[in-house]
Amino acid sequence: MDKKIALTGRVAVVTGGSRGIGRAIAELFGRAGARVVIASSQAEAVEHAAAELSAQGIPCIGVPCNVAELNQVQGLLRQALNKWGQVDIWVNNAGIAGPFGYTLDVPPAEWGRVIQTNLMGTYYGCVTVLPHMMERRYGKIINMSGGGAHKAQRYLSAYSTSKAAIMRLTDGLARDYKDHHYLSINLLEPGIVPTDMTTQFEDRVVSAREALKALPRVMQIFGTTAEEAANVALRMASRETD
């Protein structure tokens, strides 16, 4: 962590914050002085993660939240405000990869679930917290992109589509609200990070299994760590992006 960056007095909400990149971001924000709200669709996992962060001396609460449901995202904001009265930083990190297979082999409902979670979950986070940030005349939103934003990942058409759309959504929001100089709306695109999502694919085709065998080698070349991604997020959340 950059010792010069402090988030003292800030409140940060991190979706998908119980593990992986989200957990690393929440922990780093807390160590920088922020009060943290982590959310996850898994109630037991988020409760456990919040307890671990609290044990480190980080002011933290965990909130069960399925970001694919707008009412749950709105409830997440309410719980953060009930606890600390403000939200200064919102990280839309929650996401799923979906099945690993040919597009035609993925049931439409499962393809749509990836879009609903990744894209609509990010959209719900943005439109839920933006009015609060505009009222307070301060706010940092960080959206997470990834593989597929610039070039589709084979056997992951839904995931690739969602990440490309998140890039355009972030760009659109930044352009729409560029005259609100107290807002910062950024896109974080980490490299391949070895998390549960990148190491526990559900494969649907034999050729996909061959591609998965190459994943460790790909990670050696293009991979990064959750901690590196968290450090970029810390700069995005700091006064450096004012």
Side-chain angles (χ1 to χ4, degrees), residues 11-175:
V11 174
V13 173
V14 183
T15 69
S18 66
R19 60 184 182 177
I21 295 174
R23 169 65 179 269
I25 290 173
E27 184 172 338
L28 193 60
F29 283 10
R31 284 164 46 198
R35 292 162 286 172
V36 180
V37 180
I38 58 172
S40 169
S41 60
Q42 304 297 319
E44 185 175 339
V46 76
E47 181 181 352
H48 180 70
E52 289 186 338
L53 293 178
S54 296
Q56 297 180 37
I58 295 172
C60 178
I61 61 169
V63 179
C65 175
N66 178 2
V67 299
E69 301 290 340
L70 176 59
N71 65 326
Q72 292 194 35
V73 178
Q74 292 169 335
L76 172 60
L77 175 63
R78 284 195 299 271
Q79 291 201 50
L81 296 179
N82 288 341
K83 179 65 176 179
W84 282 306
Q86 66 191 65
V87 170
D88 307 284
I89 304 156
W90 187 288
V91 183
N92 287 304
N93 170 72
I96 59 175
F100 197 81
Y102 290 113
T103 303
L104 292 181
D105 292 337
V106 178
E110 293 189 34
W111 205 96
R113 186 169 68 92
V114 176
I115 300 299
Q116 186 67 26
T117 301
N118 296 358
L119 174 58
M120 296 307 296
T122 298
Y123 166 76
Y124 291 155
C126 291
V127 299
T128 294
V129 77
L130 264 174
H132 170 72
M133 289 178 168
M134 293 171 72
E135 181 180 356
R136 294 189 64 241
R137 297 186 63 80
Y138 184 86
K140 313 276 188 178
I141 293 176
I142 302 172
N143 294 335
M144 301 295 290
S145 186
H150 302 283
K151 181 181 180 180
Q153 302 295 302
R154 194 177 187 194
Y155 307 123
L156 287 171
S157 65
Y159 179 81
S160 297
T161 299
S162 71
K163 293 304 181 179
I166 288 170
M167 176 181 285
R168 293 282 71 83
L169 169 64
T170 307
D171 188 25
L173 288 168
R175 290 174 180 270

Side-chain angles (χ1 to χ4, degrees), residues 21 147 189-195 198-199 214-229:
I21 295 174
E189 186 178 349
I192 303 174
V193 177
T195 64
T198 58
T199 57
L215 190 58
R217 176 61 177 163
V218 172
M219 284 189 174
Q220 284 183 346
I221 300 172
F222 299 107
T224 183
T225 66
E227 289 71 26
E228 287 176 305

